[in-house]
Amino acid sequence: MTLACPAPRTEHTALLLGHGAGGRLSAELLEELVLPALGTPPGGMLEDAAVLPGASDLVISTDSFVVDPLVFPGGDIGSLAVHGTVNDLAMRGALPVGLALALIAEEGLPLAELRSVLRSAGEAARGIGVPVLTGDTKVVGRGAADRLFLTTTGIGRRIPELTPSVARARPGDQVLLSGPIGLHGTAVLSTREGFGFETTLVSDTRPLHGLVRALTPLGADIHTLRDPTRGGVAAVLNEIARDARVGVEIEECALPIPSEVAAACDLLGLDPLVVANEGCFVAFVAPRSAEAALQALRQRPEGRHAARIGEAGDEVPGQVVLRTLVGARRIMDLPLGEQLPRIC
Amino acid sequence: MTLACPAPRTEHTALLLGHGAGGRLSAELLEELVLPALGTPPGGMLEDAAVLPGASDLVISTDSFVVDPLVFPGGDIGSLAVHGTVNDLAMRGALPVGLALALIAEEGLPLAELRSVLRSAGEAARGIGVPVLTGDTKVVGRGAADRLFLTTTGIGRRIPELTPSVARARPGDQVLLSGPIGLHGTAVLSTREGFGFETTLVSDTRPLHGLVRALTPLGADIHTLRDPTRGGVAAVLNEIARDARVGVEIEECALPIPSEVAAACDLLGLDPLVVANEGCFVAFVAPRSAEAALQALRQRPEGRHAARIGEAGDEVPGQVVLRTLVGARRIMDLPLGEQLPRIC
């Protein structure tokens, strides 16, 4: 698999922050180092969750969470780690059946803080109805880790009617977004020292399996689901365009960007399209079912702002284009690297 | 669940290195903080791997690896992360069907080093015949992590004939050890600056699923399997004694302790019984099948030094006793905390 518009590769010899940012550097690291080193066939690790060999109704997903700070408006690393993995399963049309939780903690972490985020993880899991089946705890010396990292792995059972996959996006698909964008990244940033802006921004961290389940009646017409976490909407649209060989055209005026997000992004010099989200997804849906999908999403509280934001085409496969408010068309590129370190 | 011999609880307010050492502090952290905070029923997370709800032939296990240094005699963090998780599945009588691999890496990690340990992980997985199904990569800033941490989660399918569980150990069981002890911990320590002893010690890191499969014909007579990683043989025997409410008596003269391990432990003031292993397991076997189990283990190269090391009894449930070379009996306690930080 190659990038649609391969940029000249920068020859790095050491890991950069941007290699973990979900953008072009992340894609390079995966394709040129991680997958070849592991000996994994190309294209094998590009979905949010993988199907289990010999049990094709089950999918597995793993994610490490390194968010800084551990607690942010609207959530903490505990609930985020549960939601993030449940959502990766949901993007393959699966409902969670069990979680595994591995902790790497720094010596000296206050036990009260550890208890608090684990309670939050437990509450999030109970709210979803998924058990934490097993876990692991490692402690490293002071300075060898920054307080607490969590890795959650989820097993999900696919809803038989749903078969979403990045590879199934096709020209003509309507592109839907299940909720407003930019909230998680700007909420986390608003807590960081030095940014010093007062806001009422709250992360959108939440489980999305209920919204996905609501799409069940539309079955195979739900072609692709992806949640725009690291790298934001720009990254997932580019990945879908590249891997499914479709073009994507997005209407800027249709993007649900809350005014607080727009204001924070103005202040910080960020593009809301590359800011991480933890509570919405992008759906590519066959045209005949797009309206029904929107209606189904809007009937749930977490989908009430669902909107159609664009359409897939076949003009320039691999390219994502933004039609701006004044009617101009500009290419929405895969972000290069890190704008927002340790956002999830 | 309570400890067999509850020690006065020390009231800690912050995490200690010993909380991650697999000893008494680890048990306290798990029972008094992690499990209650997560809202997990007591006893739910004490096996090496958990059965998947709705798919009782499948088990799941997760482990984070923080070994320092990343490369040590006989292995590296990549192969260790694959073996460790495959072995946790094997201890529930399961053969691995898929792995998930999550990386947390420090900015500035040389890409050559990353490539090398991932190749090692890939080779280990291919050698076992288990695919790496999915993964995740996070990069944190310099100083926020020590080079590289790996978290591997494995899914295994249970061999139908085998039903090993800590709860199934019972009085009369013969206690077997599949290979020599103390190699991994002393090999890793030998590389650390300041220890400065020259040795030919090599970690025993290896997959154990083949040895477990060799026990298949003995079926339900294989009561309990545990690999003595963190906390060593002393920790796993104490955990089994505590959770199965049996006493355990071990013959010191029967313990397979290589002379280099004994010499290194003398030099470092360590007890080989608490040193971590990554390539052997303890088995509690019904008496009538003990000899057959030993024979089956010894027919494979990684089991050629398998030995009977003791017996389970019912005199003092929860207590592990070592019968020394001169015939004295001393209690082998659960180690308190950390002798060997970041050994796995």
Side-chain angles (χ1 to χ4, degrees):
Chain A
M1 200 195 53
T2 54
L3 289 171
C5 308
R9 300 285 200 253
T10 324
E11 286 306 319
H12 306 296
T13 60
L15 210 57
L16 307 176
L17 268 180
H19 279 122
R24 208 187 315 160
L25 282 173
S26 293
E28 280 182 29
L29 183 73
L30 193 64
E31 290 164 34
E32 296 177 10
L33 193 154
V34 177
L35 294 181
L38 287 173
T40 310
M45 280 170 55
L46 303 167
E47 302 269 8
D48 278 336
V51 174
L52 219 59
S56 61
D57 59 328
L58 297 179
V59 294
I60 180 170
S61 180
T62 196
D63 251 326
S64 289
F65 294 85
V66 298
V67 64
D68 172 34
L70 296 178
V71 180
F72 49 81
D76 60 32
I77 193 172
S79 54
L80 184 68
V82 170
H83 296 158
T85 291
V86 164
N87 292 349
D88 280 347
L89 298 173
M91 296 307 108
R92 293 302 298 274
L95 301 176
V97 299
L99 295 178
L101 177 65
L103 288 71
I104 298 171
E106 183 186 13
E107 180 188 17
L109 178 74
L111 292 183
E113 213 168 322
L114 179 61
R115 186 179 287 113
S116 164
V117 299
L118 290 180
R119 271 193 190 144
S120 170
E123 280 164 20
R126 276 193 303 283
I128 294 162
V130 60
V132 179
L133 298 173
T134 188
D136 182 45
T137 306
K138 291 290 190 307
V139 183
V140 298
R142 281 173 204 272
D146 186 7
R147 287 163 295 154
L148 182 64
F149 303 143
L150 297 183
T151 301
T152 36
T153 306
I155 304 291
R157 180 166 281 115
R158 301 177 84 171
I159 300 170
E161 292 84 351
L162 293 179
T163 51
S165 163
V166 170
R168 293 192 56 229
R170 64 188 65 162
D173 279 356
Q174 300 298 294
V175 181
L176 313 183
L177 191 58
S178 73
I181 61 170
L183 288 163
H184 177 73
T186 51
V188 173
L189 277 183
S190 75
T191 64
R192 298 227 180 123
E193 281 181 76
F195 282 102
F197 63 98
E198 299 244 349
T199 96
T200 54
L201 286 164
V202 174
S203 166
D204 62 344
T205 179
R206 67 164 68 94
L208 295 169
H209 64 298
L211 271 186
V212 170
R213 189 166 39 199
L215 297 174
T216 306
L218 303 173
D221 278 359
I222 307 299
H223 292 163
T224 304
L225 300 174
R226 284 297 292 271
D227 56 337
T229 57
R230 278 184 294 177
V233 170
V236 297
L237 290 178
N238 271 281
E239 287 165 16
I240 295 168
R242 179 191 66 188
D243 293 348
R245 309 294 304 154
V246 296
V248 177
E249 186 163 310
I250 298 299
E251 307 285 339
E252 187 173 23
C253 65
L255 287 168
I257 303 175
S259 55
E260 308 95 301
V261 170
C265 284
D266 268 356
L267 202 66
L268 299 169
L270 293 174
D271 180 349
L273 287 166
V274 306
V275 173
N277 310 279
E278 295 289 346
C280 63
F281 60 80
V282 164
F284 281 55
V285 181
R288 65 174 183 180
S289 289
E291 193 52 37
L294 270 183
Q295 292 311 321
L297 295 175
R298 287 178 183 153
Q299 275 174 24
R300 291 184 60 94
E302 69 270 37
R304 66 184 180 278
H305 299 299
R308 177 194 169 282
I309 61 166
E311 186 171 330
D314 53 8
E315 277 176 41
V316 187
Q319 194 173 76
V320 184
V321 169
L322 187 74
R323 186 181 292 274
T324 67
L325 299 171
V326 296
R329 299 171 86 245
R330 73 169 168 87
I331 291 176
M332 188 198 298
D333 213 352
L334 191 64
L336 176 68
E338 191 63 87
Q339 288 195 319
L340 310 167
R342 296 182 60 188
I343 216 75
C344 64
Chain B
M1 200 193 55
T2 54
L3 290 173
C5 308
R9 298 287 201 252
T10 323
E11 286 306 321
H12 306 293
T13 60
L15 210 56
L16 307 176
L17 268 180
H19 279 122
R24 209 186 315 158
L25 283 171
S26 293
E28 279 182 31
L29 183 74
L30 192 64
E31 291 165 31
E32 296 179 8
L33 192 153
V34 176
L35 294 181
L38 287 172
T40 310
M45 279 169 56
L46 303 168
E47 302 268 9
D48 279 335
V51 174
L52 220 59
S56 61
D57 58 328
L58 297 179
V59 294
I60 180 171
S61 179
T62 197
D63 251 325
S64 289
F65 293 85
V66 298
V67 66
D68 171 36
L70 296 178
V71 181
F72 49 80
D76 60 32
I77 193 172
S79 54
L80 184 68
V82 170
H83 296 158
T85 291
V86 165
N87 292 349
D88 280 348
L89 298 173
M91 296 307 108
R92 293 303 298 275
L95 301 177
V97 299
L99 295 177
L101 177 65
L103 286 73
I104 299 171
E106 183 186 12
E107 180 188 16
L109 178 74
L111 291 182
E113 213 167 324
L114 179 61
R115 185 179 289 115
S116 164
V117 299
L118 290 179
R119 270 192 191 147
S120 170
E123 279 163 23
R126 277 194 303 284
I128 294 162
V130 59
V132 178
L133 299 172
T134 188
D136 182 44
T137 306
K138 291 290 190 307
V139 183
V140 298
R142 281 174 204 271
D146 185 7
R147 288 164 294 153
L148 181 65
F149 303 142
L150 296 183
T151 301
T152 36
T153 306
I155 305 292
R157 179 166 281 116
R158 300 177 86 173
I159 300 170
E161 291 84 351
L162 293 179
T163 51
S165 162
V166 170
R168 294 193 57 229
R170 65 189 63 161
D173 278 357
Q174 299 298 293
V175 181
L176 313 183
L177 191 58
S178 73
I181 62 171
L183 288 162
H184 178 72
T186 50
V188 172
L189 278 184
S190 75
T191 64
R192 297 225 180 125
E193 282 181 74
F195 283 102
F197 62 97
E198 299 245 350
T199 96
T200 54
L201 286 164
V202 174
S203 166
D204 62 344
T205 179
R206 66 164 68 94
L208 294 169
H209 65 298
L211 273 185
V212 170
R213 187 165 41 197
L215 298 174
T216 306
L218 303 172
D221 278 357
I222 307 298
H223 293 163
T224 304
L225 301 173
R226 282 299 289 275
D227 57 337
T229 55
R230 278 185 294 177
V233 170
V236 297
L237 289 178
N238 271 281
E239 287 165 18
I240 295 168
R242 179 191 66 190
D243 293 349
R245 308 295 302 153
V246 296
V248 178
E249 187 163 308
I250 298 298
E251 308 284 340
E252 189 173 21
C253 64
L255 287 168
I257 303 174
S259 56
E260 308 95 301
V261 170
C265 284
D266 268 355
L267 201 68
L268 298 168
L270 292 174
D271 180 349
L273 287 166
V274 306
V275 173
N277 309 279
E278 295 289 346
C280 62
F281 60 79
V282 164
F284 281 55
V285 181
R288 63 172 183 180
S289 290
E291 192 52 39
L294 270 183
Q295 293 311 322
L297 295 174
R298 287 180 183 152
Q299 275 174 23
R300 290 185 60 95
E302 70 270 37
R304 67 183 180 279
H305 299 299
R308 177 194 170 282
I309 61 166
E311 185 171 331
D314 53 7
E315 278 177 39
V316 187
Q319 195 174 76
V320 183
V321 169
L322 187 73
R323 186 182 292 272
T324 66
L325 298 174
V326 296
R329 299 170 85 246
R330 73 171 169 85
I331 292 177
M332 189 198 296
D333 213 354
L334 192 64
L336 176 69
E338 190 63 88
Q339 288 195 318
L340 310 167
R342 296 182 62 190
I343 216 74
C344 64

